[in-house]
Amino acid sequence: MAKDVFIGQKEYFKGINKIQFEGPDSDNPLAFKYYDENKVVAGKTMKDHFRFAIAYWHTFCGTGEDPFGPGTQIFPWNGAADPMDAAKEKLDAAFEFFTKMGTPYYCFHDRDMAPEGSNVAESERNLIEITDLARERQEMTGVKLLWGTANVFSNPRYMNGAATNPNFDVLAHAGAQVKAALDATIKLGGENYVFWGGREGYFSLLNTNMKRELDNLGMFLAKARDYARAQGFKGTFLIEPKPMEPTKHQYDFDTATVIGFLNKYGLQNDFKMNIENNHATLARHTFAHEAQVAYDNGMFGSLDINQGDPHNGWDTDEFLHNLYDATELMLIMLENGGFKTGGMNFDAKTRRSSTDLEDIFIAHVSSMDTMARALLIADNIISKSAYTQMRSDRYASYNSGNGAKWIKGELGLEDLAKIAAEVGEPKQISGKQELYESLINKYLK
Ligand code: XUL
Ligand code: CO
């Protein structure tokens, strides 16, 4: 057993040691083939490129339940009758998992870590007690918090939304929860704080005053920011877009919609985007598209790494294993400077029928390797192929002459009309999409 592995009261993942890098020829499913944390690619170590984070909710709380049946996965940390004892066991199992995986960060919702109490004060006390223990374990292991968040969507009181609820008393409960989750995130040195919309959206406009709800959401986020800043939080606030599920019309539809919202409510200097691949799929975008929109607007924050199924409309939260999607994303990240305070959180769950305890290790190893391999491929495409040159050549007409004048704002419509008459019918220039596609595939190895 490597000595940098955390073992609490008992060992939960017996027989699994710290995951090692064994290289591409290894057949060991519990070893990295591509993710070599100290390997430097494009000027940064793999560890710094990805800043991988484990999602507390899927990996330690979800047991495979779905609308058609209960959980199938039996976790050895789920035995205790008292919910606070169970939370402590889960915490030890989580830190054993983080250190065996060698992932530098984790992310949580308040209710993943500590059970809800019978009133606001008891819920807050539970969270403080468990996060005090988490802080000790962070100090012992060096594992850090990428972000915290509050689950203001599961409790039935939030059935009509949290910050967008028509009933102010429900909004107040959401405020109490977000305050406590911000306090916990600050205490744990969290580098970001996430707001995923949960049930902020609607099913029918007949019973919905959309403007009132969005105004309340804008006010809520501003007050959360003001509170956290007053407590000394220096990190980034993140909004995670999703177009549908659980509501039909989620207010945070996609990156472009959220950017418009942030600008309208004066939140653009404190908030950035937490983009999830499966949510992009539901919005009929690619992960790469959403990342590019965020970068182009100075709003790129963090990523929820997963994948959905392009053939259905659900959030299936599968572990990302699609090398092509990963490569397209890494191309954009390399070209735009990667992360600042963000990282890659695996918002993903093993399938309901993946019931061996080792499956959660295999899933994370496979996804980390997918990203690492995509990074190597993207770096090769950028440094060895004509890809970037080809794309910039497409826009060469703006580098000089009238094109350059246009960019500087020096030409009006009358000038355009004159130039069009002078140049006559433009030369037909191929977009060459298939050439780009074949070039990317050549490097996918
Ligand atoms: C839900 C989802 C959430 C957020 C955090 O679709 O992605 O787990 O990532 O609340
Ligand atoms: Co997510």
Side-chain angles (χ1 to χ4, degrees):
M1 182 78 57
K3 63 177 182 319
D4 49 351
V5 166
F6 172 87
I7 305 291
Q9 298 292 312
K10 63 179 187 220
E11 186 175 15
Y12 292 92
F13 304 101
K14 289 205 180 69
I16 297 179
N17 294 332
K18 188 161 195 297
I19 306 297
Q20 306 290 339
F21 172 74
E22 291 183 3
D25 294 334
S26 169
D27 288 321
N28 179 1
L30 292 171
F32 296 118
K33 325 289 182 302
Y34 296 92
Y35 181 71
D36 180 1
E37 62 174 13
N38 297 317
K39 185 179 170 74
V40 175
V41 182
K44 256 196 315 206
T45 62
M46 283 195 169
K47 190 174 178 183
D48 290 342
H49 271 289
F50 300 118
R51 295 161 57 85
F52 283 126
I54 307 294
Y56 211 93
W57 52 104
H58 283 309
T59 303
F60 311 111
C61 307
T63 55
E65 60 279 358
D66 71 11
F68 307 97
T72 52
Q73 297 159 346
I74 297 155
F75 291 143
W77 53 88
N78 271 349
D82 177 72
M84 284 298 278
D85 289 342
K88 289 172 195 166
E89 286 209 47
K90 185 162 60 175
L91 184 72
D92 275 357
F95 274 81
E96 184 188 330
F97 185 81
F98 305 153
T99 49
K100 284 187 169 176
M101 282 301 309
T103 38
Y105 289 98
Y106 71 107
C107 304
F108 71 87
H109 300 83
D110 50 357
R111 302 297 187 242
D112 308 335
M113 286 196 106
E116 181 153 11
S118 51
N119 54 49
V120 169
E122 194 189 337
S123 298
E124 185 166 353
R125 273 199 308 277
N126 289 352
L127 186 63
I128 290 171
E129 187 179 336
I130 300 294
T131 48
D132 280 347
L133 295 173
R135 180 164 56 179
E136 283 173 16
R137 280 149 187 70
Q138 284 186 207
E139 281 161 10
M140 285 159 69
T141 60
V143 173
K144 294 185 282 188
L145 180 65
L146 185 66
W147 50 260
T149 189
N151 176 336
V152 286
F153 43 88
S154 293
N155 188 297
R157 78 170 69 92
Y158 298 120
M159 66 183 185
N160 289 308
T164 64
N165 200 294
N167 178 358
F168 171 75
D169 291 349
V170 178
L171 184 151
H173 270 266
Q177 241 185 282
V178 168
K179 177 183 168 296
L182 280 165
D183 290 340
T185 301
I186 294 167
K187 176 175 75 183
L188 295 173
E191 297 183 26
N192 307 270
Y193 184 88
V194 163
F195 293 89
W196 166 57
R199 295 181 197 274
E200 314 294 29
Y202 71 91
F203 284 93
S204 170
L205 206 46
L206 295 175
N207 68 358
T208 302
N209 178 341
M210 188 156 46
K211 180 161 190 319
R212 163 61 42 233
E213 296 198 0
L214 282 165
D215 285 351
N216 283 346
L217 182 59
M219 179 73 79
F220 189 92
L221 295 174
K223 296 297 179 191
R225 172 202 57 198
D226 294 347
Y227 174 76
R229 292 291 186 231
Q231 305 305 306
F233 179 63
K234 301 265 184 310
T236 312
F237 298 93
L238 299 168
I239 305 269
E240 183 175 327
K242 186 174 185 180
M244 63 196 78
E245 202 196 22
T247 74
K248 181 180 175 210
H249 301 276
Q250 293 281 117
Y251 289 136
D252 297 332
F253 189 94
D254 63 358
T255 296
T257 308
V258 172
I259 290 172
F261 169 87
L262 292 173
N263 285 332
K264 175 170 177 191
Y265 290 98
L267 300 164
Q268 68 280 3
N269 296 330
D270 296 278
F271 286 75
K272 291 193 167 17
M273 309 303 306
N274 184 47
I275 299 168
E276 175 167 327
N277 193 22
N278 203 158
H279 298 178
T281 309
L282 295 179
R284 299 180 188 267
H285 296 312
T286 61
F287 209 1
H289 166 92
E290 289 288 86
Q292 188 72 69
V293 173
Y295 273 123
D296 290 347
N297 289 279
M299 285 286 176
F300 185 85
S302 203
L303 296 173
D304 275 11
I305 290 291
N306 64 10
Q307 67 180 56
D309 189 315
H311 304 120
N312 67 27
W314 309 315
D315 193 16
T316 53
D317 283 345
E318 296 164 43
F319 275 87
L320 195 150
H321 58 270
N322 183 321
L323 192 53
Y324 199 96
D325 282 2
T327 301
E328 277 200 89
L329 174 74
M330 289 319 301
L331 279 171
I332 284 159
M333 289 193 68
L334 282 179
E335 288 182 321
N336 292 275
F339 289 119
K340 293 199 168 61
T341 63
M344 290 192 185
N345 161 51
F346 300 96
D347 193 353
K349 57 190 177 203
T350 51
R351 298 302 88 191
R352 186 169 186 267
S353 51
S354 299
T355 48
D356 291 340
L357 202 50
E358 68 164 15
D359 292 335
I360 57 178
F361 278 91
I362 293 171
H364 285 87
V365 168
S366 159
S367 215
M368 289 164 77
D369 267 344
T370 304
M371 294 313 308
R373 194 170 166 191
L375 169 67
L376 296 169
I377 294 166
D379 181 47
N380 276 336
I381 292 170
I382 290 171
S383 61
K384 298 188 182 146
S385 85
Y387 164 69
T388 6
Q389 191 61 46
M390 276 160 53
R391 196 183 48 197
S392 73
D393 286 351
R394 272 194 94 200
Y395 298 87
S397 61
Y398 293 92
N399 293 345
S400 58
N402 285 331
K405 280 193 194 157
W406 166 255
I407 284 182
K408 286 195 213 127
E410 290 170 7
L411 301 177
L413 281 193
E414 283 121 329
D415 301 310
L416 295 185
K418 213 164 135 249
I419 293 165
E422 273 164 28
V423 296
E425 187 54 32
K427 194 172 133 210
Q428 191 180 55
I429 303 173
S430 170
K432 306 215 85 63
Q433 183 176 324
E434 299 77 8
L435 179 63
Y436 286 80
E437 288 162 353
S438 75
L439 185 147
I440 301 295
N441 272 14
K442 179 178 139 131
Y443 285 86
L444 273 175
K445 58 186 174 205

